[in-house]
Amino acid sequence: MPVAVTPPRTLYDKIWDDHVVDVNEDGLALVYIDRHLVHEVTSPQAFEGLRTAGRPVRRPDCTLATVDHNVPTVSRKNFKSVETFISEPDSRAQCAALEDNVKEFGLTYFGMKDRRQGIVHVIGPEQGFTLPGITCVCGDSHTSTHGAFGSLAFGIGTSEVEHVLATQTLLQKKGKNMRITVDGELHEGVTSKDVILHIIGVIGTAGGTGCVIEYAGSVFRGFSMEARMSVCNMSIEAGARAGMVAPDEVTFKYLQGRPLAPKGEEWDRAVAYWKTLKTDEGAKFDIEVNIPASEIIPTVTWGTSPQDVVPITGRVPDPSTMSDPVKRASAQRSLAYMGLEPNTPMEEITIDKVFIGSCTNSRIEDLRSAVKVILAAGPDAKVAPNVHAMVVPGSGLIKQHAEAEGLDVIFKRAGFDWREAGCSMCLGMNPDQLAPGERCASTSNRNFEGRQGAGGRTHLLSPAMAAAAAITGKLTDVRKFIGKVAEAHIAAAPPLKTVSEFNFMDDATASPTPEASTDSSSSSLPSASSPSSVEKFVVVKGIAAPLHIENVDTDMIIPKQFLKTLKRTGLADALFYTLRRDPHTGKETDFILNRAPYNKAKILVCTGHNFGCGSSREHAPWSLNDFGIRCVIAPSFADIFRNNSMQNGMLPVTIPQEQCIELAKDAEAGLDLEVDLEKEEIRRVNGQPPIPFTTDAFRRHCLLNGLDDIALTMQRGEAISQFEQRRTEMWPWLNGFGYADKKIPVGPVRKTKKTEW
Ligand SMILES: CC(C)[C@H](C(=O)O)[C@@H](O)C(=O)O
Ligand code: SF4
């Protein structure tokens, strides 16, 4: 009898196969979600949806919530409550709404009084909530961070947050397999941040669209978990929804002993399973990219897209040398925004601010590497007089850890501002923002226009490079702080203590939260005839507005200040706000959507690739919808934006760029377009033949009939329950990990330094 041979599979294939509950005929799978992280910005509308439909959270034990985007990072010494501490009303309302929601739905929550509070992508790994082999989601694009553990982790929009809360599953199409291999030795001074910036420079911000990236090769193997997290974090900036590194001894060592990691026999069983999680020899990747480590040198961005990278030894590029007209126009626009002249040496660019923080680079290792540069600069090293430099640890525990190592003292002595945990100036939804025209050397992940504050200019770089820039007042090659003199300075400084992170873990588990439920019963599933709330999309005919921009990011579609709403509506004026309003006078500009007839547009035709890249904010399609635009036509879309649109009865149509250019000409002539989903064609009124397009059969069916995904999934409650049973048998450590669950013994309370709050 011939033995059946399973074809070799990638790491992504394996995790995917282990999580499919069932598959539709057209390949759309219902995928089980093991871990769900929740923050205050993308969850209020989801909880409201549950409340309206009378649905509970299916797996509170697999859900962890915190506040991060809106929290001020000033001292919490006098913190009493969110109501008294957060002065900005919309930020306060969003944080208060999350506090109410976690109480009402019985979720584990790290609030502002809890030392475990921090950026959602920092606290998950820190607590051992993130584990190898799991599926992990969050209403946040940088969920890709968690892939560093060999998990399938990706960002979702608010409708999908609601879907996961209600059903613990998601409807997903499997992506493509992409492998990026970096082999060889990195040069001194080159860090994980330089590696990922370099990769994005090579493949572009749309390079990973539709793919899950596996990072392979000796460089990633040699990286710590912190470094792997920084790389996976920015997979979204490379267009991929998820990035991953196969788990190994480094991963296991990082996890063992964390509060929510499996213990005892379950640990051994888990490790045995985790060791199987690697790509099989001979497995096929759809796309392979190989980058020699030796090609990477300290890297910095010059423009307003993360792909606009250049070695620190390089110069600002010259758009006049670019042959592609769309690229040339984008570069010209970027340079005008950034206030830079072509050919300026990068090291001559002076800065006003330094930001060390964000889910990319706010972990202990990042802080240590910045401190090393300060020490290397000598005992009198100070932040340059023209610069304000801030350090924002990713979580309260990291802050405490850094203080135990004395890192805060070195930062403060050099003139850095030492803050409390949060997203801070990465996004500026809180008081930490750039003023118009200010230039910042930032360890965050996005340099989009207005990202760190309206009119603010961002250069992305590593924590070590950020520290170097703080000291010199200019973008600086960190390798100037390496060598004999630097070593002598470091040797002469009082030695730093290296304290194990675990000193801060055990006693942090005194959760002020309600008991996390482990009940996964589906008693309150709605009947099959649940009402649908999604608008139908059949035919849309009307004015089409042309847009000639590449990489239209969601920060551009709707800037951060409008994300503070608790509603899904009222966002029409927020659409393309920075392009539609003069930043100084607040008056309407002559941007296309402000001009008749385009101010009545129902369709948007974009000629540039990668529409909707960046953040997972569903506010982007909400604002388009509110404006009246029901259909966007573009050569390519970012994955999360595409999904978010269809969740709201909107149609993203992908057709070749040449055809987009043709349709944009019709639009410029003021001609109507007619998009027919039933026939899958775009009709033109100028006598030209219709342009065909395709849509996934299931999505098309839902749009044509206005069907609501959640109600449909709830009809599959039986299959989900069966999957959960199997999951309990095979991976028991994934169940019931609420802190109050008596199954997991909480370690002895150790004495630690008193915290500030
Ligand atoms: C608020 C959230 C939707 C957003 C994201 O998805 O990335 C934010 O974290 C960001 O970095 O822009
Ligand atoms: S990218 Fe910035 S704003 Fe978004 S989660 Fe990370 S730290 Fe927060």
Side-chain angles (χ1 to χ4, degrees), residues 300-304 307-322 328 330-350 439 457-459 475:
V300 58
T301 59
W302 55 267
T304 54
Q307 72 187 7
D308 298 341
V309 299
V310 67
I312 184 65
T313 47
R315 290 168 182 268
V316 173
D318 184 350
S320 71
T321 62
M322 299 177 183
R328 185 167 58 238
S330 287
Q332 272 158 350
R333 197 191 141 80
S334 287
L335 291 192
Y337 180 84
M338 292 296 288
L340 291 174
E341 287 301 320
N343 299 315
T344 308
M346 292 309 288
E347 284 202 276
E348 280 177 17
I349 298 174
T350 55
R439 188 181 299 283
R457 295 159 172 164
T458 304
H459 294 273
L475 297 179

Side-chain angles (χ1 to χ4, degrees), residues 39 41-42 69 121 139-142 156 359 423 426-427 429 445-446 448 451 554-555 563 614-619 640:
H39 67 60
V41 182
T42 49
H69 287 70
H121 310 306
D140 197 286
S141 55
H142 288 101
I156 54 178
C359 55
C423 291
C426 172
L427 179 63
M429 280 185 74
N445 41 53
R446 290 182 175 147
F448 301 148
R451 168 84 183 173
T554 49
D555 281 65
L563 308 187
S615 141
S616 70
R617 55 192 75 168
E618 200 163 312
H619 310 67
I640 308 181

